[in-house]
Amino acid sequence: MNKIIGAFAIALCISTAAAAYSDNVQENLQDNLVRLHIIADSDAENDQAVKLKVRDAVLNYAGNFMHDGSDEDCRDKIINNLDEIEKIADDILEENGFPYKSHAEYGKFSFPQKAYKSMTLPAGDYYGVRIVLGSGSGHNWWCVMYPPLCFKEGEEVTLSRESEKILREKLDKDTYDIITKKNNEIVVKFKVVELVQELKQKIKG
C-alpha cells in the first residue's frame, strides 16, 4: 500500500510540475505576442485570394504603429484601432467586388499548433486579433501581429533574423528555445507544454 501511495504522490508531483511549467511558458507567450487570425468567407478560390489581400493591407497598416513602444502600448494601439482595421478589411472587400463585410475583434482565443519555417507555436490560448470575412466558413490564416513577425510569401510565412532577434529579446530563454529549436530535450518540453494546454482547452469545453 505504501508503494502505491508513494507512486501516486510522485505522479501527482510530476503532473503538478508539468502543469506549472506549461502554464509559465504559455503565459510568457501570451504576455509577449499578439496573434492574427483571418477567416475567409469560404474555400472558394476568390474568397481565399481576397483573404490574403486583407491580410497584406492589415499588416501594412499595423506595421505603422507597432514598431515602437512597450508591449502594453502596442496592445492598446491595436485595440484602439480595431474599427480602422475592420474598415481596411471592408474597403479591400468592396474594392474587389465582394458583397459581404468583415468583423474584427480583440480577445483571448484558442489557437492550434502552428509551424513556420523558423519556429513552431504550441497550441493554446493567445491574445489576438480575429478578422472574420463574411460567413467565416473558409480556411484560416494565422500569424503573429505583434511583434511584427509576418513576412508574406503567398500562404507561407518566413521569419527574418531581425524577427528572431525580437523574439529572443522578448521571451524567456527557455520559451524561445522551445518554439525555435528541435533537439530531443526541446521536443519533449514542447509536448509537455502543448499536452497540458490541450487538456485545459478540453476541460473548458
Side-chain angles (χ1 to χ4, degrees), residues 29-44:
L29 291 171
Q30 286 179 6
D31 291 343
N32 291 285
L33 302 180
V34 176
R35 305 287 297 273
L36 176 61
H37 182 200
I38 303 178
I39 311 173
D41 179 64
S42 78
D43 287 335

mmCIF file with all atom_site columns, all heavy atoms in Angstrom, residues 29-44:
data_model
loop_
_atom_site.group_PDB
_atom_site.id
_atom_site.type_symbol
_atom_site.label_atom_id
_atom_site.label_alt_id
_atom_site.label_comp_id
_atom_site.label_asym_id
_atom_site.label_entity_id
_atom_site.label_seq_id
_atom_site.pdbx_PDB_ins_code
_atom_site.Cartn_x
_atom_site.Cartn_y
_atom_site.Cartn_z
_atom_site.occupancy
_atom_site.B_iso_or_equiv
_atom_site.pdbx_formal_charge
_atom_site.auth_seq_id
_atom_site.auth_comp_id
_atom_site.auth_asym_id
_atom_site.auth_atom_id
_atom_site.pdbx_PDB_model_num
ATOM 1   N N   . LEU A 1 29 ? 4.369   33.465 -23.552 1.00 0.00 ? 29 LEU A N   1
ATOM 2   C CA  . LEU A 1 29 ? 3.954   33.708 -24.932 1.00 0.00 ? 29 LEU A CA  1
ATOM 3   C C   . LEU A 1 29 ? 2.768   34.667 -24.985 1.00 0.00 ? 29 LEU A C   1
ATOM 4   O O   . LEU A 1 29 ? 2.738   35.590 -25.799 1.00 0.00 ? 29 LEU A O   1
ATOM 5   C CB  . LEU A 1 29 ? 3.592   32.382 -25.607 1.00 0.00 ? 29 LEU A CB  1
ATOM 6   C CG  . LEU A 1 29 ? 4.751   31.423 -25.874 1.00 0.00 ? 29 LEU A CG  1
ATOM 7   C CD1 . LEU A 1 29 ? 4.227   30.062 -26.332 1.00 0.00 ? 29 LEU A CD1 1
ATOM 8   C CD2 . LEU A 1 29 ? 5.708   31.994 -26.923 1.00 0.00 ? 29 LEU A CD2 1
ATOM 9   N N   . GLN A 1 30 ? 1.799   34.465 -24.096 1.00 0.00 ? 30 GLN A N   1
ATOM 10  C CA  . GLN A 1 30 ? 0.636   35.344 -24.072 1.00 0.00 ? 30 GLN A CA  1
ATOM 11  C C   . GLN A 1 30 ? 1.021   36.789 -23.788 1.00 0.00 ? 30 GLN A C   1
ATOM 12  O O   . GLN A 1 30 ? 0.470   37.719 -24.382 1.00 0.00 ? 30 GLN A O   1
ATOM 13  C CB  . GLN A 1 30 ? -0.359  34.878 -23.003 1.00 0.00 ? 30 GLN A CB  1
ATOM 14  C CG  . GLN A 1 30 ? -1.143  33.635 -23.353 1.00 0.00 ? 30 GLN A CG  1
ATOM 15  C CD  . GLN A 1 30 ? -2.082  33.228 -22.233 1.00 0.00 ? 30 GLN A CD  1
ATOM 16  O OE1 . GLN A 1 30 ? -2.223  33.944 -21.241 1.00 0.00 ? 30 GLN A OE1 1
ATOM 17  N NE2 . GLN A 1 30 ? -2.716  32.081 -22.367 1.00 0.00 ? 30 GLN A NE2 1
ATOM 18  N N   . ASP A 1 31 ? 1.964   36.978 -22.871 1.00 0.00 ? 31 ASP A N   1
ATOM 19  C CA  . ASP A 1 31 ? 2.356   38.325 -22.460 1.00 0.00 ? 31 ASP A CA  1
ATOM 20  C C   . ASP A 1 31 ? 3.129   39.068 -23.537 1.00 0.00 ? 31 ASP A C   1
ATOM 21  O O   . ASP A 1 31 ? 3.211   40.300 -23.501 1.00 0.00 ? 31 ASP A O   1
ATOM 22  C CB  . ASP A 1 31 ? 3.207   38.271 -21.183 1.00 0.00 ? 31 ASP A CB  1
ATOM 23  C CG  . ASP A 1 31 ? 2.401   37.853 -19.965 1.00 0.00 ? 31 ASP A CG  1
ATOM 24  O OD1 . ASP A 1 31 ? 1.155   37.924 -20.030 1.00 0.00 ? 31 ASP A OD1 1
ATOM 25  O OD2 . ASP A 1 31 ? 3.012   37.461 -18.953 1.00 0.00 ? 31 ASP A OD2 1
ATOM 26  N N   . ASN A 1 32 ? 3.706   38.346 -24.480 1.00 0.00 ? 32 ASN A N   1
ATOM 27  C CA  . ASN A 1 32 ? 4.624   38.987 -25.424 1.00 0.00 ? 32 ASN A CA  1
ATOM 28  C C   . ASN A 1 32 ? 4.215   38.882 -26.893 1.00 0.00 ? 32 ASN A C   1
ATOM 29  O O   . ASN A 1 32 ? 4.888   39.456 -27.751 1.00 0.00 ? 32 ASN A O   1
ATOM 30  C CB  . ASN A 1 32 ? 6.030   38.394 -25.263 1.00 0.00 ? 32 ASN A CB  1
ATOM 31  C CG  . ASN A 1 32 ? 6.667   38.792 -23.955 1.00 0.00 ? 32 ASN A CG  1
ATOM 32  O OD1 . ASN A 1 32 ? 7.110   39.928 -23.789 1.00 0.00 ? 32 ASN A OD1 1
ATOM 33  N ND2 . ASN A 1 32 ? 6.700   37.875 -22.996 1.00 0.00 ? 32 ASN A ND2 1
ATOM 34  N N   . LEU A 1 33 ? 3.138   38.158 -27.176 1.00 0.00 ? 33 LEU A N   1
ATOM 35  C CA  . LEU A 1 33 ? 2.699   38.005 -28.560 1.00 0.00 ? 33 LEU A CA  1
ATOM 36  C C   . LEU A 1 33 ? 1.246   38.427 -28.711 1.00 0.00 ? 33 LEU A C   1
ATOM 37  O O   . LEU A 1 33 ? 0.446   38.235 -27.807 1.00 0.00 ? 33 LEU A O   1
ATOM 38  C CB  . LEU A 1 33 ? 2.817   36.545 -29.022 1.00 0.00 ? 33 LEU A CB  1
ATOM 39  C CG  . LEU A 1 33 ? 4.183   35.860 -28.967 1.00 0.00 ? 33 LEU A CG  1
ATOM 40  C CD1 . LEU A 1 33 ? 4.044   34.419 -29.464 1.00 0.00 ? 33 LEU A CD1 1
ATOM 41  C CD2 . LEU A 1 33 ? 5.213   36.605 -29.795 1.00 0.00 ? 33 LEU A CD2 1
ATOM 42  N N   . VAL A 1 34 ? 0.934   38.997 -29.865 1.00 0.00 ? 34 VAL A N   1
ATOM 43  C CA  . VAL A 1 34 ? -0.449  39.197 -30.279 1.00 0.00 ? 34 VAL A CA  1
ATOM 44  C C   . VAL A 1 34 ? -0.604  38.476 -31.610 1.00 0.00 ? 34 VAL A C   1
ATOM 45  O O   . VAL A 1 34 ? 0.065   38.810 -32.588 1.00 0.00 ? 34 VAL A O   1
ATOM 46  C CB  . VAL A 1 34 ? -0.810  40.686 -30.439 1.00 0.00 ? 34 VAL A CB  1
ATOM 47  C CG1 . VAL A 1 34 ? -2.240  40.825 -30.975 1.00 0.00 ? 34 VAL A CG1 1
ATOM 48  C CG2 . VAL A 1 34 ? -0.667  41.429 -29.116 1.00 0.00 ? 34 VAL A CG2 1
ATOM 49  N N   . ARG A 1 35 ? -1.460  37.461 -31.634 1.00 0.00 ? 35 ARG A N   1
ATOM 50  C CA  . ARG A 1 35 ? -1.642  36.663 -32.849 1.00 0.00 ? 35 ARG A CA  1
ATOM 51  C C   . ARG A 1 35 ? -2.630  37.346 -33.797 1.00 0.00 ? 35 ARG A C   1
ATOM 52  O O   . ARG A 1 35 ? -3.416  38.209 -33.380 1.00 0.00 ? 35 ARG A O   1
ATOM 53  C CB  . ARG A 1 35 ? -2.173  35.266 -32.498 1.00 0.00 ? 35 ARG A CB  1
ATOM 54  C CG  . ARG A 1 35 ? -1.338  34.484 -31.500 1.00 0.00 ? 35 ARG A CG  1
ATOM 55  C CD  . ARG A 1 35 ? -0.034  33.949 -32.068 1.00 0.00 ? 35 ARG A CD  1
ATOM 56  N NE  . ARG A 1 35 ? -0.248  32.989 -33.134 1.00 0.00 ? 35 ARG A NE  1
ATOM 57  C CZ  . ARG A 1 35 ? -0.435  31.673 -32.934 1.00 0.00 ? 35 ARG A CZ  1
ATOM 58  N NH1 . ARG A 1 35 ? -0.453  31.175 -31.710 1.00 0.00 ? 35 ARG A NH1 1
ATOM 59  N NH2 . ARG A 1 35 ? -0.593  30.844 -33.972 1.00 0.00 ? 35 ARG A NH2 1
ATOM 60  N N   . LEU A 1 36 ? -2.582  36.956 -35.043 1.00 0.00 ? 36 LEU A N   1
ATOM 61  C CA  . LEU A 1 36 ? -3.526  37.439 -36.051 1.00 0.00 ? 36 LEU A CA  1
ATOM 62  C C   . LEU A 1 36 ? -4.207  36.237 -36.686 1.00 0.00 ? 36 LEU A C   1
ATOM 63  O O   . LEU A 1 36 ? -3.546  35.293 -37.116 1.00 0.00 ? 36 LEU A O   1
ATOM 64  C CB  . LEU A 1 36 ? -2.806  38.257 -37.128 1.00 0.00 ? 36 LEU A CB  1
ATOM 65  C CG  . LEU A 1 36 ? -3.668  38.742 -38.301 1.00 0.00 ? 36 LEU A CG  1
ATOM 66  C CD1 . LEU A 1 36 ? -4.785  39.661 -37.809 1.00 0.00 ? 36 LEU A CD1 1
ATOM 67  C CD2 . LEU A 1 36 ? -2.811  39.455 -39.344 1.00 0.00 ? 36 LEU A CD2 1
ATOM 68  N N   . HIS A 1 37 ? -5.531  36.283 -36.737 1.00 0.00 ? 37 HIS A N   1
ATOM 69  C CA  . HIS A 1 37 ? -6.321  35.170 -37.258 1.00 0.00 ? 37 HIS A CA  1
ATOM 70  C C   . HIS A 1 37 ? -7.345  35.734 -38.236 1.00 0.00 ? 37 HIS A C   1
ATOM 71  O O   . HIS A 1 37 ? -8.218  36.517 -37.841 1.00 0.00 ? 37 HIS A O   1
ATOM 72  C CB  . HIS A 1 37 ? -7.026  34.468 -36.093 1.00 0.00 ? 37 HIS A CB  1
ATOM 73  C CG  . HIS A 1 37 ? -7.822  33.277 -36.481 1.00 0.00 ? 37 HIS A CG  1
ATOM 74  N ND1 . HIS A 1 37 ? -8.823  32.759 -35.672 1.00 0.00 ? 37 HIS A ND1 1
ATOM 75  C CD2 . HIS A 1 37 ? -7.796  32.482 -37.579 1.00 0.00 ? 37 HIS A CD2 1
ATOM 76  C CE1 . HIS A 1 37 ? -9.354  31.705 -36.260 1.00 0.00 ? 37 HIS A CE1 1
ATOM 77  N NE2 . HIS A 1 37 ? -8.760  31.522 -37.414 1.00 0.00 ? 37 HIS A NE2 1
ATOM 78  N N   . ILE A 1 38 ? -7.208  35.386 -39.496 1.00 0.00 ? 38 ILE A N   1
ATOM 79  C CA  . ILE A 1 38 ? -8.154  35.844 -40.518 1.00 0.00 ? 38 ILE A CA  1
ATOM 80  C C   . ILE A 1 38 ? -8.885  34.624 -41.078 1.00 0.00 ? 38 ILE A C   1
ATOM 81  O O   . ILE A 1 38 ? -8.256  33.657 -41.508 1.00 0.00 ? 38 ILE A O   1
ATOM 82  C CB  . ILE A 1 38 ? -7.435  36.594 -41.652 1.00 0.00 ? 38 ILE A CB  1
ATOM 83  C CG1 . ILE A 1 38 ? -6.639  37.788 -41.083 1.00 0.00 ? 38 ILE A CG1 1
ATOM 84  C CG2 . ILE A 1 38 ? -8.445  37.092 -42.685 1.00 0.00 ? 38 ILE A CG2 1
ATOM 85  C CD1 . ILE A 1 38 ? -5.855  38.552 -42.131 1.00 0.00 ? 38 ILE A CD1 1
ATOM 86  N N   . ILE A 1 39 ? -10.211 34.697 -41.076 1.00 0.00 ? 39 ILE A N   1
ATOM 87  C CA  . ILE A 1 39 ? -11.030 33.582 -41.534 1.00 0.00 ? 39 ILE A CA  1
ATOM 88  C C   . ILE A 1 39 ? -11.763 33.995 -42.802 1.00 0.00 ? 39 ILE A C   1
ATOM 89  O O   . ILE A 1 39 ? -12.504 34.981 -42.807 1.00 0.00 ? 39 ILE A O   1
ATOM 90  C CB  . ILE A 1 39 ? -12.055 33.165 -40.461 1.00 0.00 ? 39 ILE A CB  1
ATOM 91  C CG1 . ILE A 1 39 ? -11.364 32.990 -39.098 1.00 0.00 ? 39 ILE A CG1 1
ATOM 92  C CG2 . ILE A 1 39 ? -12.755 31.873 -40.865 1.00 0.00 ? 39 ILE A CG2 1
ATOM 93  C CD1 . ILE A 1 39 ? -12.324 32.734 -37.959 1.00 0.00 ? 39 ILE A CD1 1
ATOM 94  N N   . ALA A 1 40 ? -11.562 33.255 -43.870 1.00 0.00 ? 40 ALA A N   1
ATOM 95  C CA  . ALA A 1 40 ? -12.190 33.566 -45.155 1.00 0.00 ? 40 ALA A CA  1
ATOM 96  C C   . ALA A 1 40 ? -13.679 33.223 -45.140 1.00 0.00 ? 40 ALA A C   1
ATOM 97  O O   . ALA A 1 40 ? -14.143 32.407 -44.338 1.00 0.00 ? 40 ALA A O   1
ATOM 98  C CB  . ALA A 1 40 ? -11.497 32.805 -46.283 1.00 0.00 ? 40 ALA A CB  1
ATOM 99  N N   . ASP A 1 41 ? -14.425 33.847 -46.057 1.00 0.00 ? 41 ASP A N   1
ATOM 100 C CA  . ASP A 1 41 ? -15.857 33.577 -46.172 1.00 0.00 ? 41 ASP A CA  1
ATOM 101 C C   . ASP A 1 41 ? -16.113 32.133 -46.583 1.00 0.00 ? 41 ASP A C   1
ATOM 102 O O   . ASP A 1 41 ? -17.043 31.492 -46.095 1.00 0.00 ? 41 ASP A O   1
ATOM 103 C CB  . ASP A 1 41 ? -16.478 34.527 -47.201 1.00 0.00 ? 41 ASP A CB  1
ATOM 104 C CG  . ASP A 1 41 ? -17.964 34.286 -47.387 1.00 0.00 ? 41 ASP A CG  1
ATOM 105 O OD1 . ASP A 1 41 ? -18.722 34.487 -46.414 1.00 0.00 ? 41 ASP A OD1 1
ATOM 106 O OD2 . ASP A 1 41 ? -18.366 33.870 -48.496 1.00 0.00 ? 41 ASP A OD2 1
ATOM 107 N N   . SER A 1 42 ? -15.274 31.603 -47.481 1.00 0.00 ? 42 SER A N   1
ATOM 108 C CA  . SER A 1 42 ? -15.424 30.220 -47.927 1.00 0.00 ? 42 SER A CA  1
ATOM 109 C C   . SER A 1 42 ? -14.077 29.742 -48.460 1.00 0.00 ? 42 SER A C   1
ATOM 110 O O   . SER A 1 42 ? -13.087 30.478 -48.440 1.00 0.00 ? 42 SER A O   1
ATOM 111 C CB  . SER A 1 42 ? -16.493 30.112 -49.028 1.00 0.00 ? 42 SER A CB  1
ATOM 112 O OG  . SER A 1 42 ? -15.969 30.540 -50.283 1.00 0.00 ? 42 SER A OG  1
ATOM 113 N N   . ASP A 1 43 ? -14.041 28.509 -48.938 1.00 0.00 ? 43 ASP A N   1
ATOM 114 C CA  . ASP A 1 43 ? -12.817 27.976 -49.521 1.00 0.00 ? 43 ASP A CA  1
ATOM 115 C C   . ASP A 1 43 ? -12.761 28.179 -51.031 1.00 0.00 ? 43 ASP A C   1
ATOM 116 O O   . ASP A 1 43 ? -11.863 27.650 -51.696 1.00 0.00 ? 43 ASP A O   1
ATOM 117 C CB  . ASP A 1 43 ? -12.682 26.484 -49.191 1.00 0.00 ? 43 ASP A CB  1
ATOM 118 C CG  . ASP A 1 43 ? -12.310 26.263 -47.736 1.00 0.00 ? 43 ASP A CG  1
ATOM 119 O OD1 . ASP A 1 43 ? -11.713 27.181 -47.135 1.00 0.00 ? 43 ASP A OD1 1
ATOM 120 O OD2 . ASP A 1 43 ? -12.610 25.183 -47.203 1.00 0.00 ? 43 ASP A OD2 1
ATOM 121 N N   . ALA A 1 44 ? -13.698 28.943 -51.577 1.00 0.00 ? 44 ALA A N   1
ATOM 122 C CA  . ALA A 1 44 ? -13.648 29.278 -52.997 1.00 0.00 ? 44 ALA A CA  1
ATOM 123 C C   . ALA A 1 44 ? -12.368 30.060 -53.284 1.00 0.00 ? 44 ALA A C   1
ATOM 124 O O   . ALA A 1 44 ? -11.885 30.819 -52.434 1.00 0.00 ? 44 ALA A O   1
ATOM 125 C CB  . ALA A 1 44 ? -14.868 30.102 -53.401 1.00 0.00 ? 44 ALA A CB  1
#
